[in-house]
Amino acid sequence: MTALRRIDRIIGFESDNAIAVEFGRERIRSVRKIIHLYYLAILAPFVGVAWVKWDHPATRLVGMILLIAVALRFRHWMVPQPSGKSEDVNPIAARITGGMVILLSCAQTYFYLSVAFAIAAASPQGVGWLQVLGLGLLTALAQGAALTGIIFASRVIFFCFVLPLVLAILYLFAAENLVASSAVVVLTAVSFYLAETSHKMQLRLFKAQYDADQALLRMEKVNLELTDARRNVQHRAEYDDLTGVRNRFAFIRDVEEILADGRCGLLALVDLDRFKPINDLYGHHAGDQVLRYVARRLQRVVPPHAIVGRLGGDEFGLFVSAPDCVNELSSLVAMCDRALDHLRRPIRLSNTVVRVGASAGARLVASDTTDVGQALREADVALYVAKREGDETTKLFDQKISDETLRTHAIEAELIKLDSDEYLSLAYQPIVNLRTGDLASFEALARWYHPTLGEVSPVQFIPIAERLGRIREITLTLLDKALEFAADWQPPCRLSFNLSAAHICGEDAADEIVALISRKQFPSNRLQFEITETAMLVNFEVARRNVEILRRAGCRIALDDFGAGFASLVYLREIKFDKVKIDGSLIREARHPKGRDMLRGVIKMIEAMKLESVAEYIATAEDHEAALALGAGFGQGFYLGRPLSRGGVLDLLRKHRSRPPANIDSLPGHHASVRGALKTDAMGKMRLLPVLANR
């Protein structure tokens, strides 16, 4: 085995240098293409000599060897070897080739020397031997040139073929011509040197080419990697990783390109409803699945040319172009509504079935729309209106919404620079005991009159104050004013004050309120806080903890707008309330027989829970009679008393003390003022708004 490895190393198949090994194999592949010339260089001169020296024993012996070699190698010459079976990758075949070179070189050396010495012996004075040796030497050089790519083969030919012939020439010719003999020696040495140098030069050239090829391969690999990385980066830069639709940047760019081509379309923002509870209940993995379902459903329902993008969170964007957007506007909006219908279908997750809703705000954009970002903001405003109306449809941005938006921005700007006491005031609406007609309490309602904006409804400024983070400051300021004003009210008249959802869900909200009550030295048993179930939806645990702190301080707690939401019964069970204010929608529905049955059931349930009930929005005598007949304990509304200024409250308290009426309706001028308020006063309480909302 060691000998074979040594032979392989000499041939070029065993080496520590990978380049040398590859060079040897490359040269063997090249020699294979001209191997027939090597055999031609053997056979042609042999035939020439053998033609005249056939009777010589060496001629017959060597001829037989050559005949066998040609027969054995014929298939190797004529038929290409299968891949992996030729000398370039098969050391065994290379060893056979090396052995054949040694055998043929030695056989030719024996042939030419034998014939030359026979001629010299037969004719000592002749030069016939020189012709034979010269032909043999030329043959050896031609074979060496043919196999110069294989350094092993060229060395074999030199030492086994060329060198013996040169020595024979020197032996037979040196005495007659020393200079010529010396020239033969020099030429032989030069030819050997050139063969060796040529091989090394070819190796260096191959190494340079090999290095260049490897560098090119590495460069191509790097280029491919860079191309893939660039493609991946571009994909990640344009597509949302979670849903596979266009991201916000790419969505806006695509819309801009379509508008730049002179086309128009409907730009819509779709926002999911009831998505956060899925995330909270089933985890973010379930939320991710829902988002993927939503993206696929949107892609299926819109036309193929439409653009679908995820703009962030659970908000998606749609853009559908049309030839004539103005005339096709209704069909575009209908298409968007169909998409919302598809989103409301149940979604099956791995272990449950969930359902989400969606609302959309849309904006018609044309080729002259220069700012897609502004169009998106306007669609977002329309989306806010759609969510506020709560019908889960598409709301189209129009002039009315635009005017409302401008006013909202103006309110935001003024709220940011608003001093706590500046322009803020309170109105107080009476709450009456329906059975006795006694004045039970006043509900404090926020008012803001601005010199340039005019009367700003709490429906507008309270949500904005919450969004800007100013609701805590405004609440404490108004509560301070209300406590100071109500301190002189004669018991048992109470102050009822609304707490906003954003405030009651603050960590230190109740502690701040209790500290303010203590600082004002206001009797806490005469203070009632109204909280909507909307506040519970923001952060139930924090809201419940704050309610408990207020109750321990002696304050009463009322659940506001009962019947307007879907989870009120849960809150009545989880949190201890003192009073429940029945939403005005139930009072209005009680004007019909079916609604009366509903209101009767709600009041009976409240009584069964040992809680007081307040009927809101009593606007007519019929509403008052229905609420009283169905069992409501207290009432509030324009029919019983509109919101009053501080002076109006003091007048009402004074009249009530001096001549207690059997019913507040019997107060002089009360009905006339109420009816006038129904026609002219627009400051009534709005359902499901934060607690400082106008009543």
Side-chain angles (χ1 to χ4, degrees):
M1 183 62 67
T2 302
L4 291 177
R5 288 186 176 274
R6 187 176 293 114
I7 292 173
D8 291 340
R9 184 175 294 274
I10 292 174
I11 293 174
F13 279 92
E14 290 288 338
S15 174
D16 296 332
N17 191 334
I19 298 177
V21 172
E22 185 61 30
F23 174 71
R25 296 186 177 187
E26 180 63 31
R27 294 311 302 165
I28 290 176
R29 284 193 290 267
S30 300
V31 169
R32 177 177 171 80
K33 298 177 182 179
I34 59 171
I35 193 67
H36 59 283
L37 298 178
Y38 169 69
Y39 281 95
L40 181 61
I42 294 175
L43 295 175
F46 174 78
V47 171
V49 176
W51 186 264
V52 295
K53 293 296 183 178
W54 182 251
D55 56 345
H56 195 279
T59 302
R60 296 179 180 178
L61 177 60
V62 174
M64 185 63 65
I65 293 173
L66 294 178
L67 181 62
I68 294 172
V70 170
L72 291 175
R73 302 298 289 176
F74 180 79
R75 182 181 181 278
H76 181 76
W77 301 341
M78 303 303 295
V79 181
Q81 293 289 328
S83 176
K85 297 297 184 179
S86 56
E87 291 92 341
D88 57 326
V89 293
N90 192 341
I92 297 176
R95 293 187 205 119
I96 294 174
T97 299
M100 292 293 293
V101 172
I102 295 174
L103 174 63
L104 294 176
S105 297
C106 292
Q108 291 178 90
T109 300
Y110 167 70
F111 171 70
Y112 287 107
L113 290 178
S114 176
V115 172
F117 278 109
I119 293 174
S123 179
Q125 301 300 322
V127 292
W129 60 270
L130 185 58
Q131 295 176 350
V132 174
L133 290 179
L135 181 61
L137 186 59
L138 183 61
T139 301
L141 292 176
Q143 294 176 27
L147 300 182
T148 187
I150 307 177
I151 189 64
F152 166 73
S154 62
R155 288 172 180 173
V156 167
I157 293 173
F158 180 83
F159 287 106
C160 295
F161 198 174
V162 175
L163 188 58
L165 295 183
V166 171
L167 293 176
I169 292 174
L170 293 177
Y171 174 74
L172 295 173
F173 190 64
E176 298 181 5
N177 192 335
L178 184 59
V179 176
S181 299
S182 300
V184 171
V185 173
V186 172
L187 289 175
T188 304
V190 168
S191 65
F192 179 74
Y193 174 77
L194 290 176
E196 292 288 322
T197 305
S198 174
H199 180 81
K200 293 178 181 179
M201 187 180 298
Q202 291 177 6
L203 178 60
R204 285 195 296 272
L205 292 174
F206 179 82
K207 182 178 183 302
Q209 182 64 42
Y210 181 86
D211 291 341
D213 291 343
Q214 293 301 311
L216 183 60
L217 289 175
R218 288 194 297 271
M219 186 181 299
E220 290 178 351
K221 182 179 179 181
V222 171
N223 286 338
L224 288 175
E225 292 175 351
L226 288 175
T227 301
D228 291 340
R230 189 160 47 246
R231 188 181 296 113
N232 291 335
V233 169
Q234 184 176 1
H235 186 275
R236 292 172 66 89
E238 295 183 353
Y239 290 89
D240 178 59
D241 289 337
L242 178 63
T243 60
V245 298
R246 306 291 276 178
N247 61 23
R248 185 182 188 89
F249 170 79
F251 178 82
I252 294 176
R253 189 190 62 192
D254 292 345
V255 174
E256 289 175 341
E257 291 176 353
I258 293 176
L259 297 180
D261 290 338
R263 290 179 285 173
C264 62
L266 184 72
L267 180 65
L269 284 183
V270 178
D271 189 76
L272 301 184
D273 299 323
R274 302 184 294 277
F275 176 73
K276 187 177 182 299
I278 295 175
N279 253 340
D280 296 340
L281 185 60
Y282 301 107
H284 291 286
H285 177 70
D288 292 344
Q289 285 184 281
V290 170
L291 292 176
R292 283 192 284 267
Y293 271 110
V294 168
R296 286 197 293 268
R297 288 182 177 181
L298 288 175
Q299 288 176 311
R300 285 198 296 265
V301 74
V302 299
H305 65 274
I307 304 173
V308 179
R310 183 186 177 205
L311 306 186
D314 59 346
E315 188 176 71
F316 291 83
L318 292 178
F319 180 77
V320 185
S321 60
D324 188 354
C325 296
V326 175
N327 293 329
E328 298 182 40
L329 180 59
S330 59
S331 62
L332 291 174
V333 174
M335 181 275 300
C336 194
D337 285 336
R338 286 197 302 273
L340 300 182
D341 290 338
H342 277 73
L343 297 185
R344 285 191 284 270
R345 294 178 180 177
I347 297 175
R348 180 173 296 279
L349 303 180
S350 57
N351 56 353
T352 188
V353 176
V354 298
R355 187 191 297 269
V356 296
S359 302
R363 168 75 156 83
L364 191 64
V365 291
S367 57
D368 58 351
T369 302
T370 57
D371 191 348
V372 175
Q374 176 62 30
L376 279 174
R377 288 189 289 273
E378 292 172 350
D380 191 42
V381 172
L383 172 63
Y384 173 78
V385 175
K387 282 187 168 294
R388 187 178 65 194
E389 294 178 354
D391 52 2
E392 295 189 352
T393 57
T394 303
K395 188 70 175 179
L396 191 64
F397 184 83
D398 54 17
Q399 188 59 45
K400 180 181 178 181
I401 296 177
S402 178
D403 295 340
E404 182 181 338
T405 303
L406 292 176
R407 181 171 175 81
T408 300
H409 291 165
I411 293 172
E412 288 179 350
E414 294 301 323
L415 272 178
I416 291 175
K417 59 185 180 182
L418 174 70
D419 293 335
S420 297
D421 295 331
E422 188 178 16
Y423 308 130
L424 287 175
S425 62
L426 288 166
Y428 300 87
Q429 187 173 27
I431 300 176
V432 178
N433 188 318
L434 295 179
R435 296 182 178 88
T436 65
D438 293 335
L439 181 63
S441 60
F442 285 96
E443 180 180 358
L445 306 173
R447 295 292 183 265
W448 180 26
Y449 181 83
H450 192 271
T452 57
L453 297 176
E455 187 74 33
V456 183
S457 169
V459 176
Q460 292 181 310
F461 78 80
I462 293 299
I464 297 175
E466 289 182 323
R467 188 165 64 248
L468 296 177
R470 299 215 56 188
I471 192 63
R472 169 188 166 276
E473 179 184 354
I474 292 175
T475 300
L476 293 177
T477 298
L478 292 177
L479 179 59
D480 184 278
K481 291 183 177 183
L483 293 177
E484 184 176 347
F485 177 58
D488 297 331
W489 295 355
Q490 183 177 354
C493 187
R494 292 191 177 94
L495 171 66
S496 187
F497 194 87
N498 294 276
L499 295 179
S500 78
H503 189 205
I504 195 61
C505 292
E507 292 292 340
D508 301 325
D511 294 330
E512 291 177 332
I513 293 172
V514 171
L516 177 60
I517 296 171
S518 176
R519 189 165 60 251
K520 289 292 184 179
Q521 297 182 347
F522 191 88
S524 57
N525 64 336
R526 289 179 50 215
L527 181 59
Q528 174 178 285
F529 289 105
E530 298 184 13
I531 302 172
T532 64
E533 66 181 43
T534 307
M536 307 301 173
L537 292 174
V538 176
N539 193 325
F540 178 78
E541 292 300 327
V542 175
R544 178 167 61 179
R545 185 165 62 250
N546 284 328
V547 167
E548 291 173 353
I549 293 174
L550 294 175
R551 285 189 58 81
R552 286 199 299 269
C555 302
R556 291 166 58 87
I557 306 297
L559 178 62
D560 200 4
D561 298 328
F562 180 79
F566 63 90
S568 298
L569 291 177
V570 175
Y571 301 139
L572 287 175
R573 186 178 66 247
E574 296 291 333
I575 299 177
K576 184 173 178 55
F577 291 97
D578 300 289
K579 184 177 292 187
V580 176
K581 301 188 74 174
I582 303 170
D583 186 70
S585 61
L586 294 178
I587 305 301
R588 287 191 296 269
E589 290 296 326
R591 298 168 185 172
H592 310 288
K594 184 180 294 186
R596 291 177 67 87
D597 294 338
M598 174 72 73
L599 181 58
R600 181 184 293 108
V602 169
I603 293 174
K604 292 295 184 183
M605 180 190 67
I606 295 173
E607 289 179 351
M609 300 182 74
K610 310 300 182 184
L611 301 177
E612 297 176 355
S613 60
V614 181
E616 298 183 286
Y617 290 89
I618 296 180
T620 65
E622 291 77 11
D623 292 340
H624 173 259
E625 293 172 1
L628 181 61
L630 295 176
F634 298 85
Q636 179 181 5
F638 282 176
Y639 180 76
L640 300 177
R642 63 189 177 113
L644 303 172
S645 65
R646 292 166 63 99
V649 171
L650 295 177
D651 289 342
L652 183 59
L653 287 173
R654 187 166 48 252
K655 293 175 182 179
H656 195 76
R657 285 196 300 269
S658 62
R659 189 180 54 179
N663 188 299
I664 196 171
D665 295 340
S666 64
L667 290 175
H670 174 74
H671 290 292
S673 64
V674 168
R675 293 188 182 94
L678 289 176
K679 294 179 181 178
T680 62
D681 193 5
M683 298 186 293
K685 179 179 176 182
M686 309 304 281
R687 181 170 61 89
L688 277 179
L689 289 173
V691 273
L692 292 182
N694 197 348
R695 301 279 172 166

